[in-house]
Amino acid sequence: MITMNDIVREGHPALREVAEQVSFPLTNEDQKLAKDMMTFLKNSQDPELAEKYELRAGVGLAAPQLAISKRMIALLIPGEYEDDPPELEEVMFNPKIVSHSVESACLKDGEGCLSVDREVPGFVVRHSRVTVTYQDREGKSFKKRFKGYPAIVIQHEIDHLNGVMFYDYINEKSPFDLDDEVTVIG
């Protein structure tokens, strides 16, 4: 089971490296990693399990955050209401943004990261909509569009595969300055 002790923190070199492509068919090790990453997200969002195992809640996790150089991300975005099914529940292999909107968006409260143990104030401006290609566990290829919050989460996780941290986008001099056309979500 993945715990917070398995997640590397900022400053670890794995977080600044470009991850390797995942080849198919998946190895048993890659299948287990995908399952474990999703289990971590589910456990982290369950108040009782999160407290029991001292997990910080997360909606996404990338293999480089476990010091594993693989282009693999797990996403678990809860539904709007408590009993709703997840808005997005997927492990993506070799995800790639193939197109994006001109419009930009950011989260009202900024972004956080399981690999960053401090508050980093400021807006992280990203694309409002993205089209992503990826493969699932069976190697089947998909091309899907995401907008709003899911688009932001996916961009955050894909950044991890490219050695980019969310705070790289924050304007150091004016962390809360935004252009008028940026949509603030949340």
Side-chain angles (χ1 to χ4, degrees), residues 10-77:
E10 61 181 323
H12 192 288
L15 294 173
R16 290 299 187 177
E17 294 167 4
V18 175
E20 304 288 327
Q21 287 283 111
V22 178
S23 51
F24 286 86
L26 293 179
T27 62
N28 289 342
E29 184 182 282
D30 287 345
Q31 287 277 13
K32 182 179 182 326
L33 177 60
K35 186 172 178 275
D36 289 349
M37 288 169 67
M38 184 58 73
T39 299
F40 170 85
L41 293 177
K42 288 179 179 177
N43 291 347
S44 81
Q45 292 179 23
D46 178 308
E48 287 177 22
L49 291 175
E51 185 178 348
K52 179 178 177 181
Y53 297 113
E54 297 179 357
L55 307 177
R56 279 180 33 213
V59 291
L61 183 64
Q65 292 179 274
L66 302 167
I68 297 169
S69 182
K70 295 194 175 187
R71 299 188 78 77
M72 184 187 310
I73 61 175
L75 305 153
L76 183 61
I77 299 176

Side-chain angles (χ1 to χ4, degrees), residues 3-172:
T3 68
M4 292 305 295
N5 293 335
D6 300 304
I7 296 174
V8 296
R9 302 309 204 277
E10 61 181 323
H12 192 288
L15 294 173
R16 290 299 187 177
E17 294 167 4
V18 175
E20 304 288 327
Q21 287 283 111
V22 178
S23 51
F24 286 86
L26 293 179
T27 62
N28 289 342
E29 184 182 282
D30 287 345
Q31 287 277 13
K32 182 179 182 326
L33 177 60
K35 186 172 178 275
D36 289 349
M37 288 169 67
M38 184 58 73
T39 299
F40 170 85
L41 293 177
K42 288 179 179 177
N43 291 347
S44 81
Q45 292 179 23
D46 178 308
E48 287 177 22
L49 291 175
E51 185 178 348
K52 179 178 177 181
Y53 297 113
E54 297 179 357
L55 307 177
R56 279 180 33 213
V59 291
L61 183 64
Q65 292 179 274
L66 302 167
I68 297 169
S69 182
K70 295 194 175 187
R71 299 188 78 77
M72 184 187 310
I73 61 175
L75 305 153
L76 183 61
I77 299 176
E80 192 173 346
Y81 301 103
E82 197 173 322
D83 292 335
D84 287 354
E87 184 172 350
L88 178 62
E89 181 176 352
E90 186 78 66
V91 178
M92 296 181 177
F93 298 87
N94 305 318
K96 183 178 182 184
I97 296 169
V98 293
S99 67
H100 59 77
S101 61
V102 175
E103 298 87 16
S104 298
C106 67
L107 300 179
K108 175 177 68 79
D109 297 327
E111 291 184 21
C113 179
L114 294 168
S115 293
V116 178
D117 290 332
R118 61 190 173 98
E119 290 273 325
V120 183
F123 290 126
V124 180
V125 179
R126 299 187 181 275
H127 304 294
S128 294
R129 294 183 306 282
V130 291
T131 301
V132 178
T133 58
Y134 68 94
Q135 292 163 282
D136 68 7
R137 292 173 204 219
E138 280 73 51
K140 186 175 173 196
S141 294
F142 293 87
K143 182 177 182 179
K144 292 186 182 174
R145 291 189 61 178
F146 299 92
K147 65 181 183 181
Y149 184 64
I152 286 174
V153 173
I154 287 170
Q155 289 170 82
H156 178 114
E157 297 309 326
I158 289 176
D159 276 348
H160 277 304
L161 305 181
N162 297 318
V164 177
M165 298 294 284
F166 75 92
Y167 49 71
D168 296 346
Y169 295 97
I170 297 174
N171 179 332
E172 282 185 37

